């Protein structure tokens, strides 16, 4: 009951911290609303376990900010998956990992990624050296999320509809031919 009472007493604080975390991570209004629902659900589940674990070693606001930020990271991983650098990026060192992160994970072009590395992060390599590292990095499939309606309208690119229709027609013709042949054999005297 202690966790439930704390939740009910501090619901405004929970919502305020959730909005803060959502703003900090650049969520849209609808994404922030969805995240707020997830936070409330996670705080309620297992008989308010997260709130019962609050031992007043810090302020409740600090505790909730840390917990909700971690919940956001878990939520983001569940949506996007966990990104890991390729073996080639690890061989190239920290610059290779960061370059791959900017290009493959964040979707930046080589020019944008190299500009960030050189200007913002103070990488001392030339663009040509960065290009050599970038060229060695493997291409990765990009995850795209589309609506179910779009998927229902879209045909499987591996399926050749014309070949499928032709196969059905050939199977039907073979079946008729086999029936005709069986009738003709029965009609012939022994």
């Amino acid at each position: 009951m202690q966790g439930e009472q704390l939740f009910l007493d501090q619901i405004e604080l929970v919502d305020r911290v959730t909005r803060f975390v959502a703003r900090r991570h650049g969520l849209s209004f609808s994404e922030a609303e969805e995240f707020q629902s997830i936070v409330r659900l996670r705080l309620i589940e297992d008989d308010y376990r997260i709130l019962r674990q609050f031992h007043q070693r810090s302020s409740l606001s600090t505790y909730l900010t840390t917990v909700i930020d971690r919940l956001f990271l878990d939520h983001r991983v569940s949506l996007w998956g966990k990104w890991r650098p390729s073996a080639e990026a690890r061989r190239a060192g920290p610059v290779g990992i960061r370059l791959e992160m900017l290009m493959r994970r964040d979707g930046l072009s080589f020019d944008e990624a190299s500009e960030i590395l050189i200007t913002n992060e103070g990488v001392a390599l030339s663009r040509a050296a960065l290009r050599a590292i970038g060229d060695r990095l493997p291409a990765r499939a990009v995850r795209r999320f589309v609506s179910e309606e779009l998927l229902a309208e879209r045909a499987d690119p591996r399926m050749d509809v014309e070949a499928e229709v032709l196969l059905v027609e050939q199977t039907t013709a073979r079946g008729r031919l086999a029936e005709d042949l069986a009738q003709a054999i029965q009609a012939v005297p022994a």
Side-chain angles (χ1 to χ4, degrees):
M1 193 66 137
Q2 176 193 7
E4 180 181 7
Q5 192 58 48
L6 184 61
F7 178 77
L8 294 173
D9 291 344
Q10 300 297 328
I11 190 70
E12 289 180 23
L13 177 62
V14 168
D15 290 345
R16 190 171 65 241
V17 171
T18 303
R19 285 191 303 271
F20 167 75
V21 170
R23 251 189 335 271
R24 185 169 60 189
H25 291 286
L27 297 182
S28 68
F29 180 76
S30 62
E31 290 171 329
E33 280 187 332
E34 179 184 351
F35 178 60
Q36 183 177 32
S37 299
I38 290 168
V39 166
R40 286 181 172 191
L41 181 64
R42 293 293 304 274
L43 291 176
I44 291 171
E45 68 183 24
D46 197 16
D47 195 28
Y48 303 91
R49 179 184 51 82
I50 292 173
L51 292 174
R52 284 186 289 112
Q53 290 177 338
F54 174 61
H55 297 297
Q56 299 179 351
R57 293 185 197 136
S58 65
S59 70
L60 182 60
S61 177
T62 301
Y63 177 75
L64 285 174
T65 301
T66 303
V67 166
I68 292 172
D69 201 45
R70 291 292 169 185
L71 290 175
F72 172 79
L73 295 176
D74 291 345
H75 174 64
R76 183 60 49 100
V77 166
S78 74
L79 290 176
W80 292 356
K82 192 165 217 157
W83 183 86
R84 291 183 175 83
S86 65
E88 188 60 43
R90 285 194 303 272
R91 279 192 284 276
V95 173
I97 291 172
R98 185 70 177 126
L99 181 63
E100 184 178 50
M101 187 182 295
L102 292 169
M103 290 174 57
R104 303 296 190 257
R105 187 194 71 181
D106 299 344
L108 300 178
S109 68
F110 170 77
D111 292 331
E112 293 168 329
S114 63
E115 186 65 32
I116 288 172
L117 289 173
I118 292 170
T119 305
N120 297 354
E121 300 182 14
V123 171
L125 297 175
S126 67
R127 287 191 193 277
L130 288 173
R131 172 68 71 187
I133 293 171
D135 289 344
R136 291 194 323 257
L137 298 175
R140 292 187 178 194
V142 177
R143 290 176 75 178
R144 289 187 346 188
F145 295 97
V146 295
S147 67
E148 291 180 20
E149 292 82 23
L150 181 64
L151 290 176
E153 295 172 4
R154 195 166 189 189
D156 185 352
R158 296 169 295 183
M159 187 170 78
D160 184 6
V161 177
E162 291 179 22
E164 196 71 30
V165 170
L166 186 61
L167 180 64
V168 168
E169 289 175 354
Q170 288 174 345
T171 304
T172 305
R174 280 190 205 123
R176 275 191 253 125
L177 183 61
E179 287 175 17
D180 292 345
L181 185 59
Q183 288 176 356
I185 291 175
Q186 286 182 354
V188 176

